[in-house]
Structures are given as structure tokens and as C-alpha cells.
Amino acid sequence: MSQSNQKTVRVGLLGIGTVGGGTFDVLRRNQEEIRRRVGRGIEVTMVADLNVERAREVVGKAAEVVADARLVVANPDIDVVVELIGGYGIAKALVLEAIAAGKHVVTANKALLAVHGTEIFAAARAKGVIVAFEAAVAGGIPIIKSLREGLSANQIQWVAGIINGTTNFILSEMRDKGLDFEVVLKEAQQLGYAEADPTFDIEGVDAAHKATIISAIAFGIPVQFDKAYVEGITKLSATDIRYAEQLGYRIKLLGITRRQAHGIELRVHPTLVPHRRLIANVEGAMNAVLVQADAVGTTMYYGKGAGSEPTASAVIADLVDIARLMDVAPGARVPHLAFQHDELSTTPILPMDEVVTSFYLRLRVADQTGVLAKITGILAEQDISIDAVIQREADEVSGEGGNQTDLMILTHDTKEGRMRQALVQIQALPTVLAPIVSLRKEELA
Ligand code: NDP
Ligand code: HSE
């Protein structure tokens, strides 16, 4: 076996919770395999966590444990700081301090990078250090590496992904087992999938953080979370999950970013996807990312998007990259956002009115002659073409009598702005008896 004389890379871990604990365990378990790959050891020598007792139970005598994370950042013996605390507060300060101290940084913190990435990457560039973040998007799936390196020959056209395990788990369990939203959410929290604040998961914010990072890397634009459209799953009803199923679709919370002629779409929302697509069959906490690119065509990346060891897998892959590249001149490394920083594009993120999708509409209407004609007439005025119309029998409409019916309309692609105008007019019709449900639909062909 070849042995290297390169010195061991010394890692300081900030936060030893779900991901930090997994990182420590996997690194220790696989240290020999990793050393053979890298040619040098990678060792956690210092850990900071507010709960020192618990941290000591995890690391034993293998590393020094402190409560104050700044002691790790300031320690000249630490080469790489791994930030696994989360959030924008202390995590941001610690990452910037680590960079200022000339240390490379690994983080799984998508919230931090989606919101403050521009500042953090600029600071890292100025100091010639690496900020690595494979674990920030889709947990254990190496999607950052794939987009940034594996697909670097291509013009990427769009990326669509199930990039939040918690919501995919909730949608799957609700559909399969008929369980209530709250019950499944609790289960996801116990399994360590959900964020500290689960509203980030269920309101689509976590997926939007990840879609923002994907968008930057796919199209060579700055991270712009403030421009992302975000809609979660809390308003989704079991009725629409069921109707979608009957129409041949599954509802998934998708993060989508797409290059259009005049800008880039960046959006997260529940989406109807044809059930025959592979991505529609991604269940539980699994994640999947579909990438459409000009040379390679469609590729899909599938795996565990959350959890202790799957996420640790990505954190440690970043540590391996750093161990290999830390002695390489900064200009020769892969740029943080895949494109040279002075080549980032100013292409705007499109407002939602300009986004093009097809739609599923559900309307509770009076069961009278001419109702459908009025609705389709308004859609036609907005140049919205109808793909299919389905009416439920009156007696299937939740026991409210025979004079009401549910209409489901599937449309072809249209600009969202046109659909919004049409919906205002349709909602105002006296024969439309309840708020219209409108969900976006993507064929992902
Ligand atoms: P946890 O809450 O499980 O772990 C965070 C740890 O940091 C806790 O032990 C916490 O201690 C500690 N901590 C909090 N504040 C400080 C501080 N000031 N100094 C030192 N330690 C501190 O979070 P996760 O491991 O789940 O997540 C960590 C990061 O990884 C987040 O950015 C998250 O978004 C991201 N991530 C998580 C995934 C997952 O599956 N869980 C997947 C992908 C990314 P205490 O408990 O006492 O507050
Ligand atoms: N809360 C996130 C999820 C963790 O459910 O996907 C992984 O980023």
C-alpha cells in the first residue's frame, strides 16, 4: 500500500447534532478507506457544541470538546472548520470568522448560503480558501459535484427536483396510508429529517434555499433567494391528491429552475407530475433531481436527501476534496458557483407572471347548463388552451347535494399571468361556489 508523508488534515466540528454526529461516526468508521483515497488522514480534533456533555458522549476522548465555537475557529491547529449548527445567526459569524482566519469551510447550511452566499464566497475568494457545500442540497446525493463538474460540458436547460425529504415523506405517507399531516410531520421530526423550524420544510422555504443554490450553479448567476417564488404543501388537500391520482398524476413539492429566453425561472410549489415519470415514484424521504442539458440530455440523481449518515456522506466528500485541493493554487480549483466569479451572468430571475406552466384547476360549481361554457370562454379569451375536462358526479361531492359538482380542468402551457387574470374572472362568476384550487403541472418530458 502506498503511504503518503502529507500531514493529517485537522478538522474542527461546530455542532454535533444529527449531521455532526453522523459526520464524526462515518469519518471514524471509514478512516482507513478515506486515507487510502486521499493519501493523508482526515481527523476531527476539536468539537464545539452547546451541549458539551452530549458531545463528549459522542466523541469520547477522540477530540477536544468545547462549548464556545469561537475557540475552534481561532485555533491555529485547525485546518478546516465544518459548520453544522444551522441558521443565519451565529453560523454566519463563525463561517466568516473561519474564512478570515484562513481556514477552509464545509457547511450543510443551505439557508446561510442561499441568503448570504454572495458575501461568503467573496470573502472566501479574497482569502484563497474553499467553502464546500455538497450536503446543503439533496443531502447525500452528489448533485453539486454533478452539476459543477460532471455536466460542465453542457448548457443546462432546466433542473427540477424533489429536494426536501420532509415534505416528500409527508406527501407519500398521506397518500399511501391516509395519515394526517400533523402525525406524519411529527414522525419526520423524530427521524431527524425536518429542520429545527419545520415551517421551513412545509412552507417550501428549505426547498427554495436548495433551488436557489442549484440555480446559481446551473446557470452561473449569483444566489438570489429573495427572488425565488415559494409555496409549500400546507394548503394542499387530500381531495386534490386523490383527484390528481385519478387523472394520472402525483403531486410532488418540486424545486424548479429553468432558463427562458429573457430570464430564469426559480420556483418551489406543489406540482402535478405524470405518474409514469420516475420522479413521480420517488417516495418517503428520498430526493431526486432531474437535469435537462443540451449535450447529455436528461439525467436523474436519486438518493437520501436527509438524515444523519447520508448527509455526513456529503460532508465528508467535501472534506476529501479539500484535503486533495488545499495545496493547489486557488485559481486552479473549481469555482464555488461552477463559473468563474467574474463571468457570473446578470440574467434576471423572472417574475411569476412570466413563468410558463400548465395547470390543474378544481372548481366547485352549480350543476347548471352553460356553466362550463362560461369558464372555457374566459380561458379562451386569455388564450389558454384546455387539455382535458373532468366532472365528478354530483353524489360524489362530499354529501352536499346534487346541485353542485366538481370540475377538474387540465390546461396546456400558458404564462402564469394569463392564468391569474382568468382565475379572477372565473372566481367572480355566480355559478362558481367555492375558492378555485389551482396547481401547476409539469410534464418534465
Ligand atoms: P441539529 O439541531 O441536530 O444539530 C445542531 C447542533 O448544533 C446541536 O447539537 C446544537 O446544540 C448545536 N449548536 C447550536 N448552536 C450552537 C453554537 N452556538 N455553538 C455550538 N453548537 C451549537 O441540526 P442538524 O444536524 O439536523 O443540521 C445541521 C445543519 O445541517 C443545518 O444547517 C441543516 O439545515 C443542515 N442539514 C441537515 C440535514 C438533516 O438531515 N438533518 C440534511 C442536510 C442539511 P443544541 O442541540 O444544544 O442546540
Ligand atoms: N429538512 C431537510 C429535508 C433536511 O427534509 O430535506 C435536508 O436538507
Side-chain angles (χ1 to χ4, degrees), residues 110 135-136 139 163-167 193-195 201 206 210 287 305-306:
K110 53 266 167 161
I163 44 180
N164 182 268
T166 302
T167 44
Y193 304 148
E195 294 303 303
D201 294 297
D206 176 72
K210 295 165 182 167
N287 280 197

Side-chain angles (χ1 to χ4, degrees), residues 15 17-19 48-50 54 84-86 108-110 135 192 195 306-307 311:
T18 303
V19 182
D49 199 284
L50 293 181
R54 194 186 54 203
L84 297 172
I85 293 172
N109 192 338
K110 53 266 167 161
E195 294 303 303
T311 312

Side-chain angles (χ1 to χ4, degrees), residues 336-365:
H336 292 115
L337 293 180
F339 292 70
Q340 296 299 320
H341 79 92
D342 51 357
E343 295 285 346
L344 290 189
S345 148
T346 54
T347 310
I349 303 293
L350 290 169
M352 270 314 269
D353 276 359
E354 294 295 314
V355 162
V356 176
T357 61
S358 53
F359 281 86
Y360 156 98
L361 307 177
R362 176 165 64 85
L363 305 96
R364 174 67 52 87
V365 295

